[in-house]
Structure formats: structure tokens, C-alpha cells
Amino acid sequence: MFHFLSYWILFYIFEINCNNKFVFKRENLLNQLKSTQDWDVIIIGGGATGLGVALDCTTRGYKTLLLEQVDFAKGTSSRSTKLVHGGVRYLAQGNIDLVREALYERGLMLKNASHLVSNQSFIIPNYKWWDNIFYTVGLKVYDFLSGKLSFGKSIRIKKSETISRLSTLETNNLKGGVVYHDGQFDDSRLAVNIAQSCIEHGATVLNHCKVKHLLKDEKNLVNGVIAIDTETNEEYSLHAKTVINATGVFTDDILKMDNPSAKNSIRPSQGIHLVFDKSFLPGNDAIMIPKTDDGRVLFLVPWHDKVVVGTTDTLLDSHSLEPKPLDEEIKFIIDTANRYLNKNVSKDDVLSIFAGLRPLAAPKDKSEKTKEISRSHKIIVSDSHLITITGGKWTTYRKMAQDTVDKIIELNKLPNKECKTKDLLIHGANGPVDRTNHLYIYGTDKKEIEKLSQENPSLSERLHERLQFTKAEVLFAVRQEMARTIEDVLARRVRVLFLDAKAAIEIAPLVGEIIRKELNQTDDWRMKQISEFTEIAEQYVLK
């Protein structure tokens, strides 16, 4: 009887915690930081990988802390091609195991985050007769590898249907097309929802909290970190049984905190994307160009009533939080798009341009091309017992996390507990999704935003005449989604910066005022925020 009552008491506390509107407040999260002496796990990095590890750890019952230097998905995890996919390109390279794993995880993402992940049809236009046969056969293998979690069968379609479905496609020498299915999603919003899920399951997750140093014991083993709250400059000395480096292209920065003489393990590869008006791809289908001039693939994907076109694959020698697109990358995408569209694309049509950096394993030699470097993830155990997880991609974030935690258990750093994330619904996922209302991306939180507008009708006003987003979404982002800056809101909660960069700059003062009032900040704070955001946003405007 005692055990039964204990179970229900714990369940009741968990329910209160999940429904408490203050659970995501920064003050509460910082208090947890101050009141906890020792953690089981400290994770450095709040991108897809780090958040996935945090969710895996906290649902297994470990006392979990995640620290992100800027904002969740600030780096690569908000700059993807917006695809949840097995990787048709990797199939062509013969990497069957990677494709099979990714297709399985793709199916789990659709099931566990249905408000953000959707089934997207792709058409490969064929301009040679043998392409029809080649891609039809190849994609049947893709279908087979997806097993019971298939998104739909691939089919060959005639020229007439290809033209009907892709009205802006170049028709000269067109023979037909092949239709296949993959996933499409909102990357940074999924990251935010995973962060919320972590907190709801007992983890402490903080953005704008930067790790400055690693702590070590008398045996020179890593046993904690020194972190600084970048809003207040307050420092924290934090101890843990294990510390995980999940910092993407910043992996080597943390490895060199551990060992200043460590060689670089990561070589960043840049991928850029251009965003255009929906009129350049007015239907519901995406386009996949399987082989461009340099052998890479190019996608044209419908996303939030716009079209995302990319990507490139350019090895760089350095990394930054705001990588800059190269002129030759921009030219490559525009030239390739114009080759396949009958509606001419120019620089003037670009609504936003963004660049992301993939954390690829450093090439063995200069002849190794980026498209030949493995996208599989890799777990590194340093002599100091610092755990590093790198590589991989958004689609496999959950499996990467599971493998990382299983490795830590294998090293006897944590007690053995089973992974719980396979069937775990992400915050916001539950029930049918009505995609006719742009608020669908909030899932079960949609009603909370509608409630804000009902309580204060002025919050239902649009932020900009060209966009559907409202003032209520900004307020909700600050109150419930841990947004702290104009950039946090307009780049990664309400995706205006990625959809229409000029509009984002225009509404920055309005958004800054909403945030200022909610955070009880000063006018000077707001003016500084507008200036800092505008400086970043100008890089998203193609001139």
C-alpha cells in the first residue's frame, strides 16, 4: 500500500511540474544550479546532440545539467535543410547501415514529434530515359530499408504528371519523374521542445551559460566545469560523475580545455541555404536534384510557406557562431536552381540566406572530399574520461544520445539503466495536427498562445504584414520557451530571420519592446538588443 501511495504522490508531483507555468523560468533553473552540489551528468552544448543526450540521461533517472553558451540550436542545429531523412546520397555511396538507422529514427521522430515533423513528398525530375530506371530502382531499396516505418512507396510518374505537380520546373528534355517520401521539420523549434521535455522530466537546462574551464580531480580526471551566466557574469563551480562534450564544430575548443596539445579532430564543412517566395515552388512537392555539377545533391523544400534551397559542402579552416556564405556558394545554388526552374531566380529574390557548419571528422588527407567523409557519429573517451560525441545528423540525434549514455554506463561512470526515449513524446506532441493554422507548430501549446490573445486582443496582431506570426508568440517564447533576446525569438522560436531577413530587421524594435516589458529590462537594454540583432540579421540579407 505504501509503495502504491508513493507512486501516485510522485506522479502527482510530476504532473504539477509539467503544468506549472513557472517551470521554464530562468530564475527557477538558476536556483537549481545553486542548490545542487553534485550532478550525475553535465552536458556542454545545447544543439540537437547535447539536448538529445540530456533527454536520454534525465529520463533514465540521472541528475542532469545541460549548459549552452548562447541559445539552444544557435549553431548548426538551426541551419539544416529542414529534412528528417535517411539520406538518398548515402545510399548511393553504399552506406547501407547509416541509411537504415536514419530511416528508423526518421520514423520515431514522426511518431514522437508529429507537430513538427511531417511526411514530405519529393520529386526527382529525370531528363534522361535511363535516369527513370536508375532512380526508381534505387528508391525501391530506400523504401525497403525503411521497413514498417515507411513514409510511403516511391513511384515513377509520367512527364505530364511531373509538370502538373511542379509547375515551375524546366520542361525542355524532361522525360518524367520519380516520387519518394522523406521527412520535413522545423529544426530549432524541435530543439526548444526537447529542452522543455528535459526540464519536464527533471533536468536543469540553461541557455546563455558558458563553460569556461573543466575541473579535474587529483587523478587528473574531469569531474566538473566552471561556467558563467553570461547575463549576470556570475560564475558557478559544478561537479559531476561524468562530463559530456556535445559542442559540434566547437568540439576541439573543449578538447583543448582538457588537453592544450590535443590535435584537431573536427574540420568544419559549410552548407548554405537560400530562401525564396513560395511562387518559385507553388505546389506541395519538394524537388531533389540528385547530381549537380560537382556531384552533390540540391534540395528545393517547401517550408513555412517559403522555399528553402540548398545546400553546399565547403571545407573551412575555422569556425564561428555566425558563418558567412561565400560568393561561389551563392552562385552555385542560384545557377543550379535556374537550370531546373522555368521561373528565373536572381539575388533580388532571396528573402534570407543562412549558413551552417557541419562537424565532420578531419580529413585524412587533402584529397578527401567532404561528400566522402562519413556522417556517422563518433564517441571519443579522453584519457581524462571526458566524453565527446560528434558527427551524425539531426535525424539520428536520439540514437546518438542512446549510444553515448550506453558507453558511459559501459565505463562504469553511471549505474545501468535502460534507455526510455524510443517511445517518448516530445513536448507539444499529442493528438491530430491541423496544418491550416500556422500555430500548429506549437502542438499542445497552441491553446496557450490562443489564450494569451483572448486575454489581450492586441497580442493577436501580426508582427509584420508579410508574415503570419503574432505578438502573442513573442510573449510566449519569453515566458515558456526560455527566449532571452530578440535573436532568440526571431531566429529560433518565431523563424522570421530565416524566412524574411528584412522583415526581421524591421520588427526588431517591436519585438524588443515586448521582451523588455516581460523581462523588466531598461530602454538601454532594448536599444542594445536592437543594435546587436540588426548587426547579425544584416548577414542574412543578400546584397
Side-chain angles (χ1 to χ4, degrees):
M1 182 68 177
F2 174 77
H3 290 297
F4 178 78
L5 288 173
S6 297
Y7 170 80
W8 279 107
I9 290 170
L10 286 171
F11 180 78
Y12 179 67
I13 291 172
F14 177 74
E15 283 293 297
I16 291 175
N17 190 47
C18 286
N19 293 308
N20 186 346
K21 63 181 180 180
F22 301 114
V23 72
F24 303 120
K25 285 186 73 69
R26 188 171 184 84
E27 293 80 0
N28 289 354
L29 296 167
L30 286 170
N31 285 336
Q32 294 169 24
L33 205 65
K34 296 170 184 175
S35 62
T36 304
Q37 295 295 316
D38 296 294
W39 303 85
D40 290 326
V41 182
I42 295 177
I43 297 131
I44 309 171
T49 305
L51 289 165
V53 173
L55 186 59
D56 188 291
C57 286
T58 193
T59 52
R60 293 200 203 206
Y62 305 131
K63 191 181 292 292
T64 303
L65 170 65
L66 179 143
L67 303 171
E68 160 55 41
Q69 65 172 331
V70 184
D71 186 29
F72 310 119
K74 160 68 179 178
T76 308
S77 297
S78 62
R79 303 158 191 261
S80 73
T81 314
K82 319 307 176 193
L83 300 182
V84 178
H85 62 142
V88 173
R89 173 168 56 143
Y90 309 135
L91 182 63
Q93 294 171 359
N95 200 334
I96 301 295
D97 289 341
L98 176 62
V99 174
R100 181 187 288 110
E101 177 180 89
L103 287 171
Y104 180 77
E105 294 298 321
R106 179 192 71 172
L108 295 184
M109 284 180 71
L110 179 64
K111 182 164 63 78
N112 295 332
S114 57
H115 59 308
L116 291 174
V117 181
S118 62
N119 188 330
Q120 175 67 57
S121 57
F122 289 77
I123 297 178
I124 300 177
N126 298 323
Y127 293 88
K128 297 177 181 176
W129 286 115
W130 67 269
D131 280 350
N132 258 324
I133 300 170
F134 179 79
Y135 293 117
T136 299
V137 173
L139 288 166
K140 287 301 179 185
V141 176
Y142 198 66
D143 296 344
F144 175 76
L145 292 174
S146 65
K148 294 180 179 179
L149 295 177
S150 171
F151 276 35
K153 292 182 179 180
S154 59
I155 57 170
R156 186 167 61 178
I157 58 175
K158 295 179 179 179
K159 177 180 177 178
S160 57
E161 184 177 349
T162 305
I163 294 171
S164 174
R165 293 174 67 161
L166 299 174
S167 61
T168 54
L169 185 69
E170 174 58 55
T171 59
N172 190 33
N173 293 322
L174 181 70
K175 309 302 181 187
V178 180
V179 181
Y180 76 98
H181 295 261
D182 247 328
Q184 185 254 43
F185 79 136
D186 189 315
D187 45 14
S188 69
R189 287 215 53 84
L190 180 56
V192 170
N193 285 167
I194 294 172
Q196 291 171 302
S197 298
C198 290
I199 293 170
E200 289 170 339
H201 286 87
T204 301
V205 174
L206 277 162
N207 51 355
H208 302 283
C209 197
K210 184 174 182 177
V211 170
K212 291 180 62 180
H213 302 290
L214 299 176
L215 296 174
K216 294 187 177 182
D217 63 16
E218 64 280 359
K219 296 180 181 178
N220 205 37
L221 302 180
V222 172
N223 68 346
V225 304
I226 292 177
I228 182 169
D229 178 349
T230 58
E231 291 189 359
T232 63
N233 288 325
E234 184 172 354
E235 283 195 4
Y236 298 89
S237 182
L238 307 159
H239 290 84
K241 294 175 182 175
T242 187
V243 175
I244 301 170
N245 174 15
T247 54
V249 292
F250 294 90
T251 290
D252 289 329
D253 295 0
I254 304 300
L255 288 174
K256 287 176 181 178
M257 283 185 192
D258 174 40
N259 176 10
S261 63
K263 293 182 179 180
N264 285 341
S265 63
I266 294 298
R267 181 81 183 274
S269 168
Q270 178 162 286
I272 78 159
H273 296 82
L274 307 183
V275 178
F276 297 96
D277 183 76
K278 188 75 170 73
S279 62
F280 287 93
L281 192 66
N284 297 319
D285 300 297
I287 297 176
M288 194 270 239
I289 308 302
K291 195 169 184 179
T292 58
D293 287 345
D294 60 0
R296 299 167 187 154
V297 300
L298 190 79
F299 291 99
L300 294 84
V301 185
W303 189 65
H304 289 311
D305 207 36
K306 299 289 187 287
V307 182
V308 176
V309 184
T311 184
T312 54
D313 214 346
T314 309
L315 275 179
L316 301 181
D317 294 320
S318 61
H319 59 269
S320 68
L321 283 167
E322 285 295 338
K324 293 180 172 63
L326 304 176
D327 289 342
E328 55 265 34
E329 292 180 301
I330 297 168
K331 185 178 186 301
F332 166 75
I333 289 181
I334 290 178
D335 287 352
T336 306
N338 278 328
R339 187 173 300 175
Y340 289 90
L341 296 178
N342 60 35
K343 181 174 182 177
N344 191 63
V345 174
S346 72
K347 286 186 176 182
D348 293 338
D349 298 311
V350 177
L351 299 174
S352 181
I353 178 170
F354 60 93
L357 301 178
R358 308 174 190 87
L360 300 186
K364 299 181 183 71
D365 56 61
K366 292 183 179 179
S367 67
E368 191 170 11
K369 297 178 181 178
T370 59
K371 62 179 180 288
E372 294 168 353
I373 301 172
S374 174
R375 260 56 170 184
S376 299
H377 59 276
K378 184 179 182 181
I379 300 168
I380 303 167
V381 182
S382 300
D383 292 340
S384 65
H385 289 192
L386 173 68
I387 308 296
T388 297
I389 171 68
T390 188
K393 57 180 185 172
W394 241 120
T395 307
T396 57
Y397 86 94
R398 190 208 67 84
K399 185 61 165 61
M400 292 169 66
Q402 180 181 341
D403 289 350
T404 303
V405 180
D406 285 347
K407 182 65 176 179
I408 295 169
I409 292 170
E410 182 186 312
L411 295 169
N412 294 318
K413 304 284 285 184
L414 292 171
N416 190 0
K417 297 182 181 181
E418 288 188 6
C419 177
K420 303 286 182 64
T421 57
K422 183 179 172 183
D423 299 309
L424 184 74
L425 292 180
I426 301 301
H427 178 96
N430 195 8
V433 180
D434 176 14
R435 298 184 186 276
T436 60
N437 184 330
H438 85 278
L439 294 177
Y440 76 84
I441 57 171
Y442 295 94
T444 55
D445 283 338
K446 174 174 172 283
K447 61 182 183 295
E448 299 299 326
I449 296 171
E450 292 172 337
K451 185 179 178 183
L452 287 174
S453 296
Q454 290 165 4
E455 293 171 350
N456 182 354
S458 69
L459 292 176
S460 65
E461 295 172 4
R462 290 189 176 192
L463 295 173
H464 195 282
E465 61 183 2
R466 293 199 297 269
L467 300 163
Q468 294 179 298
F469 308 112
T470 65
K471 293 179 181 178
E473 293 174 74
V474 176
L475 188 59
F476 185 80
V478 178
R479 286 185 180 177
Q480 298 295 318
E481 296 183 335
M482 297 166 280
R484 306 294 296 177
T485 68
I486 295 176
E487 187 202 343
D488 289 354
V489 172
L490 292 183
R492 292 172 291 278
R493 306 308 188 284
V494 181
R495 306 301 306 271
V496 180
L497 181 59
F498 285 74
L499 295 168
D500 190 330
K502 288 181 180 178
I505 293 170
E506 290 168 12
I507 64 177
L510 169 62
V511 172
E513 179 60 14
I514 296 171
I515 300 172
R516 184 199 68 76
K517 286 182 179 178
E518 182 62 21
L519 296 182
N520 196 28
Q521 291 284 2
T522 65
D523 286 333
D524 286 345
W525 176 91
R526 173 178 172 268
M527 294 307 296
K528 185 182 179 186
Q529 275 287 305
I530 294 169
S531 175
E532 290 176 350
F533 175 74
T534 302
E535 184 178 352
I536 290 173
E538 289 285 357
Q539 297 182 38
Y540 291 68
V541 179
L542 186 55
K543 298 168 184 175

